[in-house]
Amino acid sequence: MTDWIFLSLLLWCFTAQAQPHTDDYWTDYESRALGKYPQVTYKSSRISTPLVRVRKWNESCDPHGYVLMSPHGERIADNKLILLDSKGNLVWWQQEQGAVHNIQVQQYRGNDYITYWVGDDEFWGHGAGYYKMLDQTYTHAYTLTAVGDMDGDYHEFSITRDNTALITAYVKTPWDLSAYGREDGFIWDCVFQEVDVETNDLLFEWRASEHFRFKDMAVNSWAAWTGHAGDPWDWFHLNAVEKDSNGNYLVAARYTNAITYINGTNGGKRIWQLGGTKSSFNDISAGGASRFVDPHAVHWDDDEHTSLTVFDNIDFRSWDKPKKHSRAAKIELDMLRRTANLTVDFQHPYNVYGRAEGSVQKLENNNYLINYGSAPVYSEFSATGDHLCETHWAPMRENEGILESLDAVDTYRIYKSRWTGYPVEPPIVLSKPEALFLHWNGATEVRSWQVEGRGAFGKSASRYITLGQYKHDSFELVVPLSPAVAYASFRLMALDGTGKTLGMWRVDHRGRVYESQYDDAARAALLPYLMPVIAASLFVAYLKWRNYRASKGTVWIQEKQAKC
């Protein structure tokens, strides 16, 4: 009895470390009692992921979407893609050799893919890398690169309605900067390209230097130490691009403080601009629809192209002024009257300030997911701007009435999407005398596990007995084992919500997993093909047996005749 009490307490400790928490744990989390970057560890894998806190939950939030993020920063030693459920539980992770950004679920030719950028992000404010797409088995399906003598940047990687890909690049370009004291200067020229996913062929290219001048910028980012080959001048800073059904492009850039609409068929000329030094619209909401500072994401909100959403970092460079909190905004445009009106201002009730990065996404239930970039928090709002749900994945601090990042950890964008994952890799199992610890990385359809065990000695060694059926409600399953039984092997069955077997494996006492994944449908599909093979094999065996008996009979007759 004492053993079972001790075992229960031990297993409680193991399972408690992998659970997200709510308001009850808010104080110790934000006070850094758990550290500057609290993490969850697992027994069945040597990984660690952010300890996620659900600060606020409302049943109006989408409970079925999966949250995609790629944390990075000074306190994060590795580069991981992370998929969480709506309550912050880990569902899937993948390690990459380089930095990863901009992970999301996108559709290409009717199929869902996890897409992201991977590469070197040690440049100030941009990256040099390439783009990857994983199918629903988490198998690498496509790799895309920037076309020409340039590397792909992480600020944008989106699949268009035309089944093409939009990507960005920062290109080191010689430039006459004599007006700034550098005749043989260099700039980062911001480029976006539309490429064919199958062939990586270039379909369209746009360069900021061909359509904007330095004096068009709302913010002059020139500094005396910049503008040379070792540190080109980042004068434009492209943040986001979206292609619409008209074949044109929405562009958000840091130093324009504006949203620009680019013609996709007339050489990339500007059609209009919202905000910045040359706004094409009269803001009838007292600046709320056009006074952006470092807009980091922009999307059309409707198919008629009458309203858009933007994530506005706000006050990025006003270090000498009181800080303001970041926001997302929904803006209605009247193209005939050339007016812009702020229709929804997504204001965070705790005044979260994201110094850089960030995103806004319209969800399937018409809610909006807002990620605050360099502030480790994402929130879900109603269509009318009500703050519904909030999740933190690292501690924050209050500074002059503003909630901001406590330490240098952030994620460029966060998305929430429906996703179905069918991993081809088997579960990972750690076998201990007191328990089995296991996870099946990325298996979104598992709802329960049936676990069976076979002993090493005595009656228990003759067959598998059911140890239990366990609800699948966290990344790692802990199966308690009786200390009185020495197990030789185990059998695992992953079940979906209807009880269908998604996979079955045999596990030895060391935790090594055997047998491939088969589901009930696969077995049923194979049966018609296997039956003729089995019948033919039996018939061949019968013929061989009959021939053998006939030959033995002939030999016996011959031996009898010889004796006579």
Side-chain angles (χ1 to χ4, degrees):
M1 186 65 179
T2 304
D3 290 341
W4 277 106
I5 294 174
F6 172 75
L7 180 61
S8 300
L9 289 172
L10 184 64
L11 292 177
W12 179 85
C13 292
F14 286 143
T15 55
Q17 64 181 327
Q19 300 299 317
H21 299 294
T22 54
D23 272 358
D24 296 339
Y25 298 85
W26 183 249
T27 303
D28 66 340
Y29 191 70
E30 296 300 337
S31 67
R32 289 186 284 176
L34 302 177
K36 290 187 175 181
Y37 181 57
Q39 299 182 68
V40 180
T41 58
Y42 307 89
K43 294 293 181 179
S44 55
S45 182
R46 296 180 180 178
I47 65 166
S48 60
T49 56
L51 179 59
V52 175
R53 300 296 207 200
V54 178
R55 177 71 173 90
K56 181 181 179 182
W57 180 257
N58 186 298
E59 294 305 318
S60 300
C61 293
D62 180 8
H64 304 296
Y66 292 99
V67 174
L68 299 102
M69 61 190 300
S70 51
H72 63 285
E74 294 177 0
R75 296 188 177 275
I76 302 175
D78 49 15
N79 303 295
K80 281 197 291 284
L81 311 166
I82 292 178
L83 185 73
L84 306 173
D85 67 17
S86 60
K87 295 299 181 67
N89 293 299
L90 180 65
V91 175
W92 171 78
W93 68 277
Q94 178 168 300
Q95 187 82 28
E96 281 288 353
Q97 294 300 314
V100 287
H101 293 283
N102 218 351
I103 173 176
Q104 59 181 309
V105 173
Q106 300 193 74
Q107 273 207 341
Y108 173 65
R109 299 193 182 279
N111 296 313
D112 288 338
Y113 293 86
I114 289 178
T115 67
Y116 57 96
W117 174 93
V118 58
D120 180 4
D121 66 351
E122 293 300 316
F123 301 89
W124 176 251
H126 67 274
Y130 56 97
Y131 312 89
K132 296 178 73 171
M133 298 171 62
L134 308 181
D135 64 21
Q136 290 181 266
T137 67
Y138 304 98
T139 301
H140 178 214
Y142 296 95
T143 297
L144 295 173
T145 62
V147 179
D149 189 18
M150 64 186 79
D151 294 306
D153 167 57
Y154 59 75
H155 278 88
E156 195 62 76
F157 177 32
S158 59
I159 305 299
T160 72
R161 305 181 185 203
D162 302 322
N163 289 308
T164 58
L166 276 180
I167 61 176
T168 54
Y170 281 58
V171 183
K172 183 191 294 186
T173 305
W175 206 267
D176 182 3
L177 298 176
S178 55
Y180 299 89
R182 289 190 186 277
E183 185 173 332
D184 299 322
F186 283 83
I187 63 169
W188 287 118
D189 197 6
C190 289
V191 178
F192 74 80
Q193 297 180 335
E194 185 174 356
V195 300
D196 186 287
V197 175
E198 299 293 332
T199 64
N200 212 140
D201 290 341
L202 180 64
L203 304 175
F204 181 83
E205 181 176 280
W206 183 90
R207 290 176 177 259
S209 64
E210 295 176 356
H211 302 279
F212 283 87
R213 296 170 295 178
F214 298 150
K215 67 179 183 179
D216 294 332
M217 299 300 100
V219 176
N220 182 358
S221 61
W222 172 261
W225 60 82
T226 191
H228 53 84
D231 185 12
W233 181 22
D234 183 9
W235 64 282
F236 187 78
H237 202 92
L238 179 61
N239 279 335
V241 186
E242 179 175 274
K243 185 181 182 182
D244 63 22
S245 58
N246 293 330
N248 300 324
Y249 305 89
L250 282 174
V251 171
R254 174 187 290 176
Y255 296 124
T256 63
N257 281 350
I259 307 301
T260 308
Y261 195 43
I262 302 298
N263 194 313
T265 57
N266 189 21
K269 293 182 178 179
R270 284 184 278 175
I271 299 174
W272 52 255
Q273 180 172 306
L274 176 63
T277 59
K278 295 183 178 181
S279 185
S280 309
F281 296 88
N282 176 30
D283 188 341
I284 60 175
S285 48
S290 61
R291 290 180 186 170
F292 311 122
V293 181
D294 193 18
H296 246 98
V298 61
H299 306 282
W300 282 117
D301 194 65
D302 60 359
D303 293 333
E304 291 76 29
H305 307 144
T306 60
S307 65
L308 54 81
T309 56
V310 58
F311 180 77
D312 186 9
N313 291 93
I314 297 183
D315 215 29
F316 176 76
R317 280 155 299 281
S318 299
W319 305 113
D320 57 333
K321 300 177 182 178
K323 291 181 179 177
K324 299 178 181 179
H325 55 277
S326 304
R327 64 164 185 158
K330 182 177 177 181
I331 300 161
E332 186 178 85
L333 301 177
D334 187 326
M335 297 298 175
L336 292 177
R337 295 180 176 85
R338 288 292 179 175
T339 60
N341 184 34
L342 176 65
T343 56
V344 183
D345 200 9
F346 298 96
Q347 294 281 356
H348 196 286
Y350 305 120
N351 298 334
V352 172
Y353 173 61
R355 182 183 61 83
E357 307 175 317
S359 55
V360 55
Q361 176 196 10
K362 188 175 185 179
L363 303 176
E364 290 185 11
N365 63 356
N366 290 322
N367 287 347
Y368 291 81
L369 183 76
I370 298 173
N371 161 48
Y372 291 86
S374 60
V377 55
Y378 55 92
S379 297
E380 195 166 326
F381 289 77
S382 71
T384 56
D386 296 323
H387 183 254
L388 301 175
C389 296
E390 179 174 325
T391 304
H392 289 221
W393 56 273
M396 300 179 68
R397 65 182 173 190
E398 184 175 346
N399 183 13
E400 299 176 5
I402 302 295
L403 272 181
E404 60 184 2
S405 178
L406 176 70
D407 209 356
V409 294
D410 58 280
T411 183
Y412 174 58
R413 287 177 179 166
I414 290 180
Y415 293 96
K416 189 175 186 180
S417 304
R418 303 296 174 93
W419 172 255
T420 304
Y422 303 101
V424 294
E425 296 296 325
I428 304 297
V429 180
L430 174 67
S431 177
K432 293 288 186 180
E434 70 277 7
L436 283 182
F437 304 87
L438 65 99
H439 72 268
W440 194 11
N441 190 27
T444 60
E445 303 309 290
V446 177
R447 297 296 176 266
S448 63
W449 291 87
Q450 182 166 315
V451 183
E452 301 172 350
R454 184 172 62 83
F457 310 103
K459 293 182 179 180
S460 64
S462 61
R463 61 187 178 88
Y464 282 98
I465 59 171
T466 300
L467 301 181
Q469 187 161 324
Y470 303 89
K471 185 179 179 180
H472 180 75
D473 56 4
S474 62
F475 181 70
E476 185 172 75
L477 175 67
V478 182
V479 180
L481 301 177
S482 171
V485 179
Y487 290 97
S489 62
F490 304 91
R491 194 156 56 193
L492 310 176
M493 281 165 280
L495 310 175
D496 68 7
T498 66
K500 173 187 171 183
T501 302
L502 299 174
M504 182 185 296
W505 302 268
R506 181 175 62 85
V507 181
D508 69 13
H509 69 287
R510 297 178 182 273
R512 291 176 294 196
V513 180
Y514 299 92
E515 299 181 11
S516 299
Q517 169 191 352
Y518 292 105
D519 58 25
D520 295 336
R523 292 189 184 90
L526 285 172
L527 194 59
Y529 300 97
L530 290 175
M531 289 304 294
V533 175
I534 294 172
S537 299
L538 291 173
F539 182 69
V540 170
Y542 166 74
L543 291 178
K544 289 183 177 180
W545 174 81
R546 192 178 68 173
N547 291 337
Y548 171 76
R549 290 296 302 270
S551 63
K552 291 291 288 184
T554 302
V555 170
W556 182 80
I557 292 172
Q558 291 175 348
E559 289 177 350
K560 292 290 289 182
Q561 290 175 346
K563 288 181 180 180
C564 294

